[in-house]
Amino acid sequence: MRRDITDRVLVVSAANGDADAYAALVDRWIDRLFRVAYRILRDWDAADDATQDALVVAWRDIRGLRDPDRFEPWLYRLLVRICHRRASDRRRRAARVVDIGKQDAGGADDIGSVVERDRIERALGQLTVEQRTVIVLYHYLGRSHAEISDVLQLPEGTVASRLHYATKSLRAALAAGDRPSRYTP
Amino acid sequence: MNTDMELQRLLEQSFAEGPETAPMTSRVVVRGRLREVRQRPGWLVRERGIEYPRTRPRGPLRLVMLAASLVALLGISFAIGSFGGRPSHVAVEPRFTAFAVEGQPLGVAVDGEAVWVGLFDQGALARLDPASGEVSYIRPVGRNCVSISAGAGSVWVPACQGLPMYRVDVATNSAEALPGVPAGQTISPVFDGDIAWITTDVYSGSYVRFDTSSANVLSSHQLSGAGGIVAIAFGSAWAALTHEDGTYELLRLDLQTAEVQSSIPLDMAGDIAVASPDALWLSLYDEASDEWQLARVDPQTNEIGVTIEFESAINPASDGVSVWVLQNEEPARLYRLDTETGALSETITIDGHADALAVEGDTLWVTRGRVHDVLRIELDPR
């Protein structure tokens, strides 16, 4: 709660042109935004660029944010839109590949576990960026349909539908191994 | 493999393995870029779908806009005078009254005595007495009570986030959890007298028929796709479905047997259905193209006649007689529908973004989640 209150004060100060206050917000939010962007885009460089862009755009437009308590969904909304734009940029498709084996730092997992992780990574990679976004917001950030609706500016029914088909696609991709999903709407 | 728990576990595993911090250089780069960017004034920012104030411009620009408005007004007056008369229809200015509530009001229902408001993130209902303006709160009633509905002497809060469905007795304001109703991702129930048709999981299309008198589930059913029961009207239940092959349909079901009486193919996904005396109106959307429509379903022929296109998300509401459509885009707009022709006959513009709509005769109730209030709009305040 204390953090929220402080965020609010920083947002109000930033909206009044206080660059130091916004720098403090950047420090607080940059890692969170990057984590989300990475899980949506699955590309380190693209996620880094999207995070930076979101923070710069937020500074530019923060005076338009009427309710400082809504900074978080507003910021995530900016980030998601930038992620979607970046995802549509095909030139960035030559991204780095997630090295499943390299991230197995503990070394205690058996081969089956690595294979399992590889399957979920591939399955996530087969989703559209819009599907992956709702999966990340719902399963990673733990947001409700209403909150996702707020971030994506979509009706709750659309969020529920998108999540439903994203889950279906994920299951289909897992079941089919490397074959593409039949459920992609 | 693909049970919900396994899928959840795999996702958590995948998410846990991603990076936790942004690259070390990012903070430095961002700070450098910020120095090169000037903040834009709030009134200039007009990016669609993002919350920006409607502050009026000041200074010379405002004077220019005022002058332009005056010239336009004079032009219109001259044109009317040239054609020899006044407009045949003089619109009555509606009266707006705002009631502040604690939390984000994202759902609204009217039961004749009071106005009920679902408060986002509060796990609460607000009960608004229109006569006195007094607001009281009932909690807890689950979480994320958004799409509430009134019927059978209660206000109903769908089950969300694993919590049970709640109903609140409108006479006593007492809240009761309904653990007997399967908890999934439910939508607002619809009513056939004392029987509530409750969609218990929109993902799988499962629903139950629930006796509101005895609080017992009468029967459980399964639709042939994702979706749920969206209306009871014209002696039938109506279900909007989305199929895995990307097709959509509206089903008409027998109230006694729940058997399918008719299937109406849809071009887009069905969302909210309301009834006027002679038709069912169903909002449709296509998330890929972000298209929205309102379709008129003729209950005599079970066919779609008129469709009306909208530029952004809509939320239709009816009191059984008149139909109004709330267009959520900022500024929000309300349209009265001519239920015979499908023409939009009146327009009311609302400052800011609006979320939900309820209709009761000549009074409209609109929630505005971002400014935490409920607007009463009296169409004929005389």
Side-chain angles (χ1 to χ4, degrees), chain B residues 148-207:
Chain B
I148 60 175
S149 62
S154 297
V155 174
W156 301 73
V157 181
C160 292
Q161 297 189 334
L163 295 170
M165 170 169 272
Y166 280 79
R167 68 175 174 183
V168 176
D169 189 311
V170 297
T172 64
N173 290 355
S174 58
E176 174 191 16
L178 301 171
V181 177
Q185 190 64 36
T186 65
I187 57 177
S188 301
V190 292
F191 302 92
D192 170 29
D194 285 341
I195 308 298
W197 290 55
I198 303 171
T199 303
T200 50
D201 188 357
V202 291
Y203 300 144
S204 64
S206 58
Y207 69 96

Side-chain angles (χ1 to χ4, degrees), chain A residues 27 31 35 39 48 53 60-61 64 70 74 81 117 121 139 144-145 153 162 164-165 168 171, chain B residues 4 8 14-15 17 20 22 26 31 33 40 48-53 144 203 242 244 287:
Chain A
D27 284 342
D31 289 338
R35 288 196 288 266
R39 283 155 180 86
D48 187 19
D53 286 353
R60 187 192 67 186
D61 291 349
R70 292 176 47 74
W74 178 73
R81 287 183 180 191
R117 267 179 279 160
E121 294 302 324
H139 290 283
S144 68
H145 287 185
Q153 291 286 285
R162 192 172 285 184
H164 169 72
Y165 284 107
K168 283 273 189 184
R171 286 196 179 122
Chain B
D4 285 344
Q8 179 70 28
S14 170
F15 290 146
E17 287 167 354
E20 288 297 310
S26 290
R31 289 191 181 204
R33 289 178 64 186
R40 296 200 293 190
R48 184 184 170 203
I50 296 182
E51 185 177 15
Y52 293 119
N144 289 334
Y203 300 144
T242 299
E244 289 177 352
E287 62 179 296

